[in-house]
């Protein structure tokens, strides 16, 4: 064992924590970790279990592989503590945590932040921007759970804010043709129909089918049941669809880096979308509608599922029509103005 690793493990053992992990649970976890390509964490857990783990009813460990340990070098005491959480986190609970949720760790001044996009069938989770294999737990005995991660968490992780998305008017069929050809939405349409967004998929095919291949788009798609209950007449279809299309690509990785609130244009003239954090800071909103899942993304198109149809542009209240009596008064006033003007002209002509 490397001298630095041994020293760190000794420091761990000097921590004044009370242990409540059973020897049997630790032994089984160490054995499974050793046989699964996580020998470094197995050795760490074996040495520190007596004094590292505080008295708790549950424990979740996030461990990088041996190759990550080897390329990273000796991790510090504080960094290793950042990979232990006193919360009981199952695969299902990890996947269901909303964006920006905070997970406590044994590092008192640091928490893990959920940065993964919402999805109903997502197999992996992002914590502090690091992929967690939530679909395949390494060890689970009901109290101790261990998940594999692709690299060490960064305790100083913070999403870099972006002040704008550089959204510009996109080229469509009424623009000058530059020979790029039209975009194909076949894969996106198939994925949308599979996930319950058939109405918006049809609109995408019908209304954006002649969009130039160089165009970047984001489609905010309400589910079919929300769309079916929304429309009152056929003339609403086009404007409602266009207010859900943004002329730039906003995949989840871009949305989580925004400096909130962030305003972006849409294909519907004068209609803008404002991206904000939910009041409890666990989830993202577009015009106060929750983003519920990451539906599809390729090089030029991103489709995000949202919980409802975006609110329409408020229509100005119609001016009240004047009453019959008021209309007569207005007419009489106009006639009076004409007569006064005519009288003044006569007086001027005859020199009065």
């Amino acid at each position: 064992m490397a001298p630095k690793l041994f020293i760190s493990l000794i420091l761990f053992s000097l921590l004044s924590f009370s242990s409540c992990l059973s020897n049997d649970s630790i032994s089984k976890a160490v054995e499974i970790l050793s046989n699964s390509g996580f020998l470094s964490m197995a050795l760490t857990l074996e040495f520190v279990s007596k004094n590292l783990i505080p008295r708790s009813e549950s424990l979740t460990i996030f461990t990088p592989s041996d190759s990550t340990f080897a390329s990273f070098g000796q991790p510090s005491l504080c960094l290793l503590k950042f990979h232990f959480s006193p919360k009981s986190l199952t695969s299902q609970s990890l996947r269901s945590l909303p964006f920006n949720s905070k997970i406590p760790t044994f590092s008192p001044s640091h928490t893990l932040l959920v940065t993964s996009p919402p999805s109903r069938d997502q197999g992996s989770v992002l914590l502090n921007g690091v992929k967690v294999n939530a679909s395949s737990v390494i060890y689970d005995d009901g109290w101790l759970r261990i998940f594999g991660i692709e690299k060490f968490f960064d305790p100083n992780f913070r999403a870099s804010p972006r002040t704008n998305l550089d959204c510009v008017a996109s080229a469509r069929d009424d623009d000058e043709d530059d020979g790029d050809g039209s975009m194909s939405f076949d894969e996106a349409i198939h994925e949308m129909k599979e996930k319950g967004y058939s109405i918006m998929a049809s609109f995408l095919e019908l209304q954006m089918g002649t969009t130039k291949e160089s165009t970047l788009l984001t489609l905010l798609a309400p589910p079919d049941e929300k769309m079916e209950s929304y429309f009152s007449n056929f003339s609403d279809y086009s404007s409602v669809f266009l207010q859900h299309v943004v002329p730039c690509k906003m995949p989840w990785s871009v949305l989580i880096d925004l400096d909130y609130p962030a305003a972006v244009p849409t294909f519907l003239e004068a209609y803008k979308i404002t991206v904000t954090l939910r009041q409890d800071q666990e989830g993202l909103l577009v015009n106060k509608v929750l983003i519920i899942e990451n539906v599809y993304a390729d090089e030029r198109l991103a489709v995000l599922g949202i919980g409802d149809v975006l609110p329409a542009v408020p229509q100005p209240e119609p001016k009240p029509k004047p009453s019959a009596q008021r209309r007569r008064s207005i007419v009489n006033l106009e006639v009076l103005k004409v007569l006064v003007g005519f009288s003044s002209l006569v007086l001027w002509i005859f020199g009065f």
Side-chain angles (χ1 to χ4, degrees):
M1 182 183 300
K4 289 184 178 180
L5 177 59
F6 181 78
I7 292 172
S8 292
L9 294 175
I10 293 298
L11 288 173
F12 266 115
S13 65
L14 295 176
L15 295 173
S16 57
F17 290 120
S18 299
S19 174
C20 61
L21 272 171
S22 70
N23 291 333
D24 184 57
S25 181
I26 291 294
S27 298
K28 289 180 180 178
V30 167
E31 181 181 357
I32 291 176
L33 283 168
S34 301
N35 296 330
S36 306
F38 300 93
L39 180 60
S40 299
M41 182 57 77
L43 293 173
T44 301
L45 179 60
E46 187 175 24
F47 273 86
V48 306
S49 59
K50 293 181 180 180
N51 298 300
L52 168 66
I53 312 302
R55 193 174 298 278
S56 174
E57 295 181 358
S58 57
L59 175 67
T60 301
I61 299 174
F62 301 98
T63 175
S65 64
D66 288 340
S67 59
T68 303
F69 268 89
S71 60
F72 183 86
Q74 174 56 44
S76 67
L77 170 65
C78 292
L79 181 59
L80 285 172
K81 289 169 62 179
F82 191 46
H83 292 71
F84 287 70
S85 173
K87 290 202 69 172
S88 176
L89 298 168
T90 64
S91 295
Q92 180 61 34
S93 63
L94 268 178
R95 289 195 295 268
S96 63
L97 286 174
F99 169 71
N100 217 44
S101 299
K102 293 177 174 61
I103 298 175
T105 70
F106 285 163
S107 180
S109 57
H110 295 97
T111 57
L112 292 170
L113 193 67
V114 177
T115 54
S116 47
S119 180
R120 298 171 190 166
D121 54 359
Q122 183 174 311
S124 62
V125 174
L126 295 179
L127 301 181
N128 282 32
V130 176
K131 184 177 179 180
V132 180
N133 189 0
S135 62
S136 180
V137 61
I138 299 171
Y139 179 81
D140 183 358
D141 63 4
W143 186 85
L144 171 62
R145 295 182 176 92
I146 305 176
F147 294 94
I149 54 178
E150 62 180 2
K151 62 180 180 180
F152 284 101
F153 295 132
D154 180 4
N156 299 315
F157 171 84
R158 183 178 180 275
S160 302
R162 289 175 44 146
T163 55
N164 64 77
L165 287 168
D166 299 326
C167 280
V168 295
S170 296
R172 294 218 291 156
D173 57 338
D174 50 353
D175 294 320
E176 184 179 352
D177 188 11
D178 58 7
D180 281 346
S182 299
M183 293 179 69
S184 172
F185 300 112
D186 292 346
E187 289 186 10
I189 289 169
H190 174 76
E191 195 72 18
M192 291 172 68
K193 289 181 177 179
E194 287 286 319
K195 295 185 176 182
Y197 302 94
S198 296
I199 295 178
M200 289 300 283
S202 298
F203 284 145
L204 177 63
E205 185 175 22
L206 292 172
Q207 297 207 27
M208 307 299 290
T210 56
T211 303
K212 291 185 179 180
E213 193 174 0
S214 59
T215 304
L216 301 180
L217 298 173
T218 298
L219 176 60
L220 302 170
D224 290 340
E225 61 268 21
K226 296 295 182 180
M227 294 292 289
E228 289 169 356
S229 61
Y230 181 82
F231 292 113
S232 56
N233 59 71
F234 186 79
S235 62
D236 295 336
Y237 287 13
S238 179
S239 60
V240 170
F241 173 75
L242 292 178
Q243 76 184 35
H244 289 77
V245 185
V246 177
C248 59
K249 187 182 173 186
M250 295 193 310
W252 186 257
S253 58
V254 170
L255 285 177
I256 64 174
D257 282 349
L258 293 179
D259 189 13
Y260 311 111
V264 293
T266 68
F267 273 109
L268 183 64
E269 187 177 358
Y271 189 87
K272 289 189 175 182
I273 288 173
T274 302
V275 184
T276 56
L277 272 174
R278 202 163 67 173
Q279 190 171 6
D280 58 9
Q281 297 193 346
E282 295 186 355
L284 285 179
L285 305 174
V286 283
N287 286 10
K288 300 182 180 180
V289 177
L290 183 66
I291 298 176
I292 57 176
E293 69 171 325
N294 198 34
V295 178
Y296 176 82
D298 59 25
E299 292 181 355
R300 303 197 177 279
L301 172 68
V303 181
L304 299 169
I306 58 176
D308 207 340
V309 178
L310 294 177
V313 178
Q315 299 297 322
E317 294 184 6
K319 295 181 179 180
K321 294 181 179 180
S323 62
Q325 182 178 356
R326 186 162 179 249
R327 284 198 298 272
R328 286 195 297 270
S329 299
I330 293 173
V331 171
N332 293 337
L333 180 60
E334 294 300 322
V335 172
L336 181 60
K337 287 180 181 179
V338 172
L339 291 175
V340 170
F342 180 73
S343 300
S344 300
L345 179 62
V346 171
L347 292 173
W348 178 77
I349 292 173
F350 289 97
F352 290 101

